[in-house]
Amino acid sequence: MNYDKFLNTNLVQVKPSGIRRFFAIAEEMENVISLGVGEPDFKTPWHIRQKGIEYLEKGVTRYTANAGLLELREEIARYYKRKYNIEYDGKNEVLVTVGGSEGIDMAIRSLVNFGDEVIIVEPSFVCYKPIVEVSGGIAKPIVTKQENEFRLTPEELENAITDKTKLLVLPFPNNPTGGIMTKDDLEKIREIIIKNDILVMSDEIYSELTYTEEGHTSIASLDGMKERTIVINGFSKSYSMTGWRLGYALGPEPVIKQMTKLHQFAIMSSPTNSQYAAIDALKNGDADIKRMKQDYDMRRRFTVKGFRDIGLECFEPKGAFYLFPCIKSTGLSSEEFCERLIKAKRVAVVPGNAFGDSGEGFIRVSYCYSIDNIKEAIRRIGEFVEELKNEN
């Protein structure tokens, strides 16, 4: 039977995730050190797990409100007021989602009509472009550059906007580069966004992992931007709660209303015990974030030095938990480098072009693993780079 005539043609044309392909290869091999998947190696802090267990033991296992527990939504609003000085109405401007990824999906599908252009800052996480294209929109990448520390510049944004532009996807701190946008950077693009009357989807899932004195600035905190920004965040990265599958979106009530409607039909509600655990995380988890962030910062500095010591050019990231080393000096493409590396040295990293064509010539390395694994992985990669030199 030929299923081609039945399948969604937009979806068929979307390529599978380049991240998961190398993860699958690593799973089938022995003695592989994987620095490929961005999942914290910390366990969810005990007091958060305990709260989830408590509500399971109580038998609190029914659906919650579609938008999530009101207590959780109000706690999320308090968190954004406390951290970033933005006032949100927990009842009408917050939606609890199944991970940040669902929030991204709901936001794009709630906003994008056929033919709308969505500007996506690249290199960036793999899901934005496919969701835009499946929704019938047109994804327009802006390529950020290493010499600009992978920041979005006002000139780049201005040149990308057309009369069909509806949405800017702003993914900072950035996966895969670790780049950030400072408050001054955001102020410069704010004027262009308002002038051209477009919306912003600000993916802030790594907001707590910003290694500068200034810390993270949400673009929604700037004058005139709250009403035109949908913020996506969650619990996976900052609280090491990946498997709990819980995220959230904050934004203008009319947009959140439509996102909630879509969420209602697609999901119903987010996991109940995860929501109760998340309330505890927001109330009592600041010390956990500080502890994990200090450890990531140590690994970050160690890993940057390690890659530079083996002769690979490496931008020093200021956020998230990734490096984006340049491998152009080896003469291999990103795919070739990663495939040969895993076969020769049993180290899994992700080719940069998985994050957009502009990522060609780079690899993504996650440092959210033990320092021993990182040290051994760098040693093996160093051997691999030396062997490549001897081939020439």
Side-chain angles (χ1 to χ4, degrees):
M1 184 172 178
N2 180 8
Y3 287 95
D4 290 347
K5 67 179 181 180
F6 297 102
L7 296 172
N8 181 319
T9 53
N10 288 343
L11 183 58
V12 168
Q13 292 169 16
V14 170
K15 296 178 181 178
S17 167
I19 300 175
R20 288 290 163 181
R21 184 166 77 86
F22 280 85
F23 185 62
I25 293 172
E27 283 189 319
E28 296 176 0
M29 301 175 70
E30 294 182 357
N31 192 31
V32 172
I33 298 176
S34 176
L35 303 183
V37 179
E39 180 165 25
D41 68 334
F42 295 104
K43 291 180 180 178
T44 304
W46 169 242
H47 65 94
I48 300 173
R49 285 182 278 151
Q50 190 173 36
K51 190 61 65 172
I53 293 167
E54 175 187 328
Y55 277 87
L56 284 174
E57 289 180 335
K58 287 179 179 179
V60 182
T61 56
R62 296 183 179 275
Y63 297 128
T64 68
N66 294 135
L69 291 165
L70 181 58
E71 183 184 356
L72 174 56
R73 285 180 279 149
E74 289 178 339
E75 200 61 49
I76 290 167
R78 280 191 285 272
Y79 170 83
Y80 255 74
K81 172 62 177 175
R82 176 166 60 91
K83 291 282 185 174
Y84 309 116
N85 197 31
I86 315 171
E87 297 271 3
Y88 284 103
D89 174 7
K91 185 176 182 180
N92 299 306
E93 295 180 323
V94 181
L95 168 64
V96 180
T97 60
V98 181
S101 297
E102 194 221 344
I104 293 166
D105 183 32
M106 298 294 104
I108 292 173
R109 286 203 281 154
S110 296
L111 293 171
V112 174
N113 293 314
F114 183 82
D116 286 341
E117 291 181 355
V118 178
I119 295 172
I120 301 173
V121 177
E122 290 188 351
S124 63
F125 186 50
V126 296
C127 76
Y128 310 125
K129 183 180 178 183
I131 296 171
V132 168
E133 291 175 342
V134 171
S135 302
I138 300 168
K140 290 191 65 177
I142 290 181
V143 178
T144 57
K145 301 176 181 64
Q146 181 169 293
E147 55 264 34
N148 294 329
E149 298 187 331
F150 295 107
R151 291 183 169 111
L152 172 63
T153 69
E155 296 77 18
E156 290 166 343
L157 178 59
E158 190 80 73
N159 291 337
I161 293 174
T162 73
D163 58 1
K164 294 183 179 180
T165 303
K166 176 178 278 186
L167 181 67
L168 165 66
V169 176
L170 197 65
F172 292 97
N174 183 269
N175 171 13
T177 67
I180 64 169
M181 294 281 280
T182 65
K183 184 176 182 180
D184 184 57
D185 295 327
L186 294 171
E187 286 284 7
K188 290 173 182 174
I189 66 169
R190 177 189 71 88
E191 299 173 8
I192 298 167
I193 291 164
I194 293 173
K195 180 182 71 174
N196 288 279
D197 191 28
I198 63 175
L199 297 179
V200 176
M201 185 183 76
S202 181
D203 186 349
E204 303 181 8
I205 193 72
Y206 295 100
S207 60
E208 287 282 10
L209 301 178
T210 302
Y211 311 104
T212 62
E213 195 170 324
E214 178 184 299
H216 176 72
T217 298
S218 174
I219 195 169
S221 68
L222 306 185
D223 287 346
M225 288 305 301
K226 183 193 167 190
E227 57 263 39
R228 59 178 67 247
T229 302
I230 300 91
V231 173
I232 305 296
N233 209 324
F235 299 87
S236 295
K237 313 302 181 181
S238 51
Y239 298 99
S240 195
M241 293 178 66
T242 52
W244 297 77
R245 304 315 305 133
L246 206 68
Y248 54 88
L250 309 102
E253 182 178 351
V255 178
I256 294 296
K257 183 178 180 180
Q258 297 308 311
M259 290 176 63
T260 303
K261 186 196 302 182
L262 191 55
H263 169 83
Q264 178 186 62
F265 290 128
I267 299 295
M268 180 66 76
S269 61
S270 300
T272 301
N273 72 309
S274 296
Q275 293 188 55
Y276 282 105
I279 293 169
D280 187 76
L282 291 168
K283 287 182 174 179
N284 304 307
D286 283 4
D288 302 302
I289 291 173
K290 183 178 180 181
R291 172 179 55 84
M292 289 187 279
K293 179 179 172 181
Q294 287 174 339
D295 207 304
Y296 288 137
D297 191 20
M298 178 272 292
R299 301 181 203 183
R300 175 182 71 97
R301 289 179 277 112
F302 179 89
T303 311
V304 169
K305 182 179 184 302
F307 272 91
R308 289 175 176 173
D309 286 348
I310 63 173
L312 292 181
E313 182 184 356
C314 189
F315 157 74
E316 182 179 344
K318 300 296 195 306
F321 41 51
Y322 307 102
L323 300 189
F324 208 52
C326 180
I327 50 92
K328 294 176 184 177
S329 61
T330 68
L332 300 180
S333 71
S334 295
E335 295 261 351
E336 290 170 335
F337 185 95
C338 293
E339 288 179 2
R340 289 184 59 178
L341 175 65
I342 195 169
K343 290 175 182 176
K345 298 298 177 182
R346 304 297 172 105
V347 175
V349 295
V350 181
N353 63 351
F355 306 94
D357 293 342
S358 60
E360 181 54 60
F362 296 84
I363 57 173
R364 191 194 75 172
V365 176
S366 175
Y367 54 85
C368 60
Y369 299 93
S370 74
I371 204 73
D372 289 339
N373 276 348
I374 293 170
K375 187 183 297 185
E376 175 61 16
I378 292 173
R379 187 192 68 78
R380 295 184 192 183
I381 295 170
E383 285 183 352
F384 178 66
V385 170
E386 282 300 312
E387 289 168 10
L388 290 176
K389 289 178 183 177
N390 294 333
E391 288 180 7
N392 300 326

